[in-house]
């Protein structure tokens, strides 16, 4: 194995490694890539629903598990998967080494449960590749400067893969899942959805933030920052893929996709608050969106963030309440599913709101909150209406039966 051979990073999610048969398929895939002359790094998630099961286990013990200990527990899921996969690859006759996030030099900040990668020092990965090994990496985890084990937030294995691909200057970062690419809507919910061949990082990032979880938002943000091309493919070997890269073709549709993001909490204050970004920076809270509209300030977060045990969010809201003017009012708090259209046409096409509202006529009320931000036009709807709303928007903007 020479350092001239290109490095490929391949990431396989929980559904791809749910059982031993799945592990063997992934092992065969990695071995085939290695035998085609590549240096191979495989990032792996916990098997099947292991992470959910570990969270339930902790919650059986206490409804408010300590965040540090929860991270300790959850990282075990990926550790099991990496070791089993390394064994399966060795069984096929190729050398393989498994490494934890910490061993791979994935350095994060100190925010347990949703840590951010600040630096990647992949020396051990490079050493193992140099000796001809396929390197298996436990996704979704890192280590802080204080040597605490951290997790990167749900779906964080995608972020591990992209961060390693950037640090290793890999030729490609391939994200394998149960779908053969990124579609114009979740293909499991919208039968008319079509695979998108090429997307820009900006559009994919907007889609991921709006709920298209096929690629994690933090991973796409990292890919954009470090100019990593992403290839979304199916683990079962179906042909077809979506490429996410810099400078996608200019002739792509103005609306790329319809998305939904469940379990959102929207806080609405009357009035403009210029201090909001500065205050947000001082709390470890990652909002989906913070928006100043004329006469209104909006803050949208996931239900998990709003309910987090350490209550950073509650402290943030308290702090905002202490500011003068608008934040002395108690915010209106709304729960629901964020339903969005995403594409370069948002913000450029005049009056997209009219067809958006028309498509959602069956769900729209005078109180429906609507938000336009960058490439995304969204509204918050009751969870039980979201599937029908997505079908209606897809039919109106991308074709198909409503
Ligand atoms: P993994 O567990 O491998 O990380 P995920 O479940 O995170 O996989 O992502 C794959 C899922 O993303 C698909 O099963 C699909 O239901 C969902 N999905 C949501 N939106 C889209 C979209 N626009 N295109 C493709 N898949 C999508
Ligand atoms: N196992 C983690 C989760 O279920 C990370 C991942 O799958 O990317 O969220
Ligand atoms: Mg995922």
């Amino acid at each position: 194995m020479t350092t001239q051979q290109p490095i490929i990073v391949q990431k396989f999610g929980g559904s791809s490694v749910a059982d031993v048969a799945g592990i063997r398929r992934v092992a065969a895939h990695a071995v085939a890539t290695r035998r085609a002359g590549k240096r191979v790094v495989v990032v792996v998630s916990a098997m099947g629903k292991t992470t959910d099961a570990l969270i339930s286990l902790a919650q059986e013990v206490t409804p408010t598990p300590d965040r540090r200990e929860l991270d300790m527990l959850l990282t075990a899921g990926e550790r099991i998967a990496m070791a089993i996969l390394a064994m399966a690859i060795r069984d096929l006759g190729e050398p393989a080494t498994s490494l934890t996030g910490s061993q791979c030099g994935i350095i994060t900040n100190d925010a347990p449960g949703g840590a951010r990668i600040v630096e990647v020092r992949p020396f051990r990965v490079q050493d193992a590749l140099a000796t001809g090994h396929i390197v298996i990496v436990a996704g979704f985890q890192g280590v802080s400067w204080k040597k605490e084990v951290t997790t990167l937030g749900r779906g964080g294995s995608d972020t591990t893969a992209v961060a390693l691909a950037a640090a290793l200057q890999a030729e490609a970062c391939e994200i394998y899942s149960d779908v053969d690419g990124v579609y114009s809507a979740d293909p499991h919910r919208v039968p008319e959805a079509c695979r998108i061949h090429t997307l820009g990082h900006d559009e994919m990032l907007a889609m991921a933030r709006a709920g298209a979880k096929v690629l994690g938002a933090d991973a796409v943000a990292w890919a954009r920052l470090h100019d990593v091309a992403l290839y979304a493919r199916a683990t079962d070997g179906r042909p077809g893929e979506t490429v996410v890269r810099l400078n996608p073709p200019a002739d792509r549709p103005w609306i790329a996709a319809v998305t939904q993001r469940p379990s959102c909490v929207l806080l609405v204050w009357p009035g403009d608050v210029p201090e909001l970004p500065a205050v947000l920076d001082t709390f470890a809270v990652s909002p989906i969106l913070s928006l100043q509209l004329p006469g209104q300030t909006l803050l949208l977060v996931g239900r998990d963030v709003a309910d987090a045990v350490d209550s950073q969010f509650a402290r943030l809201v308290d702090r905002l309440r202490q500011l003068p003017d608008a934040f002395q009012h108690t915010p209106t708090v709304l729960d629901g599913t964020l339903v969005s259209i995403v594409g370069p046409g948002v913000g450029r096409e005049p009056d997209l709101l009219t067809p958006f509202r028309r498509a959602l006529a069956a769900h729209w009320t005078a109180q429906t909150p609507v938000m336009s931000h960058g490439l995304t036009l969204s509204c918050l709807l009751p969870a039980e209406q979201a599937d029908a709303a997505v079908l209606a928007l897809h039919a109106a903007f991308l074709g198909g039966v409503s």
Side-chain angles (χ1 to χ4, degrees), residues 23 47 50 75-85:
I23 294 265
M47 294 171 69
T50 301
T75 52
E78 269 67 14
R79 208 168 162 137
I80 292 168
M82 75 174 191
I84 296 288
L85 181 57

Side-chain angles (χ1 to χ4, degrees), residues 81-82 210 224 250 275 305 307 315 364 393:
M82 75 174 191
R224 181 175 65 159
E275 300 92 335
V305 170
D307 291 348
R315 273 188 271 155
W364 204 269
L393 284 173

